[in-house]
Amino acid sequence: MNAATPFPWPELAAGENTTTTFRAIFERAPVAVARCNPQGVIVEMNPAFEQTVARTLDRDVAGRRWLRLCELVRPQDRDQTEMLLRDLLDSRCNSFDIEAGGAGHGQAISRWTAWRQPGCGTEPDHALLIAPQTRDTVPAEESLLQTQRWEAVGRLAGGVVHDFNNLLTGVMLYCDLLLSSLDGRDHRRRYAEEIRSAIVQATGLVKQLLVFARPQRTPARTLRLNEIARAMHDLLTRLIGENIALELHLDPELGVVSLGQAQAQQVLLNLVLNARDAMPNGGRITVETSNCRFQPVAGTMFPSHFASGPPAFPCVLLTVSDNGHGMDAETRQRLFEPFFTTKNAGQGTGLGLTTVRSIVTTNRGLIHFESEPGCGTRVMILLPRASQSAVSDLLETVNPDSGPPSPTPIQEIKKESLL
Amino acid sequence: MTSAAVTHTLATLQIMAANFLNLLIVDDERSIRDACREVALSLGFIAHVADSAEHAYRLLQTQSIDAILLDLRLPGAGGLEALRYIKAQRPEALVIVVTGYGTVQSAVQAMKHGAYEYVTKPFSIDELKLLLQRVSNTSS
């Protein structure tokens, strides 16, 4: 902004309480703001700050109404931070930057800037800490690295799956031979049947690994997600149990998508079961379908040959939401990581969402999560409408079969992009 | 036993052998080869085993093979290449391809190259028996 042009600040209405106004601004600011006293204690923080701190610090620390500035930084940076704070409050410098959140928790590091805030009257000077909110801001290159890492794991898994499958075949055949050689009343049949049931489970795991390791583009076949959702309603209701209500809000005018039936079922099943697991004390799962148009962000996903910006695509949106316990930043960041699970040992393979992502992106779709601890989770899956060949061609550019996959599926689908 | 009796026994055995189907099992995993061999024997097949495509080619030169259980992923020459070679050498042989990836594509490819049937790993004895019985019915 030109310094000569005064910003058109609105006149405060007569009688309006400026303290209340600025308090409201402080409370609702989308950036994290906090005040730190000369002893290095953060004495005031806004909700955005609390939210950021909750993501970067252990729960017990974040649960307090105050914390020390040093708790925000890595142990090795604490002395330097204290020194910088002293320099700031003694007017030896006007501001300093610190990096917070890298204290071995594996979370993203956020950069904080501290300014000196002159005290009023007898109050000593304070440090004002400001940081942009770090929600879901994984740098693009980090996201690409992550995608490449998953791809490598996928290739590795593909190789292992072949050998594992071979071994499994031998075990299954010999188990069947053993069963056929045992008399019907032989008590050892039970042992062999236990082995067989484990083999069947392992076979399921292998199949799931295969979907992730070698995603298959399904033969061109169109289906209606509404029909899949309706057909699965009874099964899903049984699986989620009595404490959880399953609601279907299906758009009767929903367009068709090009997706394998088994794949669509797998996506819905995985998302609903994850939602169930997020609500151990019951709740509500909503499956919603609607038509929408997806407007890609200009210059990020598409080549520059769209002079007037990339066109909007007609898409089908599938949303699965729950009012369960939600996810913290670390979980959100690792959602699609193969073998990452928040479930107890033996209850989750850590492949469910990896598989969902693989199916969605292989079919030129996008997937996006919205979740906060305690606020439930909303999963949005966007698939191109099948009748639009132009859409397919264009989305082919986004998710090409060969070459490194675009990091866009998680990053680019933002609420404002959905028209 | 007299020499006449021996000759008669041999002749009977030859007639019996002529009624048995020769199955060649090609898989690089020993446990799978052996288990399949056992199942094939129980169904009255004469079973031969090979651990590579090259080994299978050698057996095709010396044995009268009616049916082949062929793993599509083999060391050396790949399974599809082996299938093409086998069908060129023995067009009448019934080939069941075994696919480890369970992909429709590889099975479709194999069927295009003349495979009789396909089965996905891991398969059960019941599946294998069913396939071998179909081979048996087709060949007789």
Side-chain angles (χ1 to χ4, degrees), chain A residues 3 14 22 27 83 136 197 207 213 216 221 226 231 239 308 316 320 324 340 365 381 384 388:
Chain A
F22 281 103
E27 291 290 335
M83 200 175 73
D136 299 337
S197 123
K207 278 186 184 154
Q216 301 295 313
R221 180 169 174 233
N226 285 359
L239 287 173
S308 56
V316 163
V320 177
F340 173 74
I381 287 174
Q388 308 290 323

Side-chain angles (χ1 to χ4, degrees), chain A residues 158-159 161-163 165-178 180 196 199 203 206-207 210 214 216-219, chain B residues 27-36 38-39 71 73 99-105 120-129:
Chain A
V161 163
H162 169 73
D163 292 335
N165 218 22
N166 254 355
L167 295 172
L168 216 51
T169 310
V171 178
M172 185 182 260
L173 289 172
Y174 276 109
C175 185
D176 283 354
L177 281 173
L178 183 64
S180 59
R196 205 175 194 290
I199 298 167
T203 307
V206 163
K207 278 186 184 154
L210 281 171
R214 294 174 194 276
Q216 301 295 313
R217 174 72 64 83
T218 46
Chain B
D27 201 305
D28 58 333
E29 183 67 37
R30 188 190 54 79
S31 64
I32 298 175
R33 283 197 308 271
D34 291 353
C36 291
E38 201 154 328
V39 176
D71 186 8
R73 189 162 156 157
T99 161
Y101 290 122
T103 62
V104 179
Q105 282 90 334
T120 306
K121 279 184 186 176
F123 51 87
S124 66
I125 287 224
D126 285 344
E127 286 174 87
L128 182 60
K129 278 184 173 171

Side-chain angles (χ1 to χ4, degrees), chain A residues 136 140 143-144 146-148 150-151 294 296-297 300-302 317 332 335-336 353-354 356-370 378-383 395-400 404-415 417-418:
Chain A
D136 299 337
S143 171
L144 184 62
Q146 237 172 23
T147 311
Q148 284 169 345
W150 297 344
E151 276 213 311
F294 172 62
V297 182
T300 54
M301 298 167 71
F302 290 86
L317 178 68
R332 281 200 307 272
L335 264 186
F336 300 109
L353 284 182
T354 312
V356 168
R357 180 183 179 274
S358 186
I359 290 173
V360 170
T361 54
T362 309
N363 288 285
R364 309 182 192 115
L366 302 171
I367 182 164
H368 177 65
F369 272 77
E370 285 178 359
R378 192 152 79 116
V379 192
M380 297 149 87
I381 287 174
L382 205 61
L383 291 162
L395 283 174
E396 188 81 31
T397 325
V398 185
N399 285 324
S406 155
T408 52
I410 316 164
Q411 298 299 312
E412 295 296 343
I413 166 173
K414 301 287 182 198
K415 261 191 291 187
S417 300
L418 296 171

Side-chain angles (χ1 to χ4, degrees), chain A residues 46-121:
Chain A
N46 71 350
F49 184 95
E50 274 184 62
Q51 224 168 22
T52 312
V53 165
R55 289 203 189 94
T56 52
L57 291 180
D58 290 336
R59 195 172 290 276
D60 61 324
V61 178
R64 285 190 241 133
R65 278 301 297 173
W66 61 270
L67 62 106
R68 296 188 69 80
L69 177 63
C70 287
E71 288 177 276
L72 285 173
V73 300
R74 287 175 295 210
Q76 64 266 35
D77 295 338
R78 284 179 183 165
D79 288 346
Q80 198 197 352
T81 306
E82 278 181 4
M83 200 175 73
L84 286 167
L85 182 67
R86 272 199 306 274
D87 284 351
L88 179 81
L89 296 173
D90 293 344
S91 304
R92 280 193 290 273
C93 65
N94 292 322
S95 69
F96 66 87
D97 288 345
I98 51 171
E99 283 187 345
H105 304 282
Q107 288 96 339
I109 291 172
S110 50
R111 183 171 285 276
W112 298 80
T113 303
W115 280 280
R116 190 173 55 257
Q117 185 201 21
C120 301

Side-chain angles (χ1 to χ4, degrees), chain A residues 199-240:
Chain A
I199 298 167
V200 171
Q201 274 182 37
T203 307
L205 187 62
V206 163
K207 278 186 184 154
Q208 213 173 358
L209 265 172
L210 281 171
V211 176
F212 149 63
R214 294 174 194 276
Q216 301 295 313
R217 174 72 64 83
T218 46
R221 180 169 174 233
T222 55
L223 61 80
R224 291 179 195 280
L225 285 178
N226 285 359
E227 286 169 14
I228 299 286
R230 277 196 209 101
M232 288 185 79
H233 183 265
D234 288 351
L235 171 75
L236 294 174
T237 308
R238 231 185 356 257
L239 287 173
I240 59 178

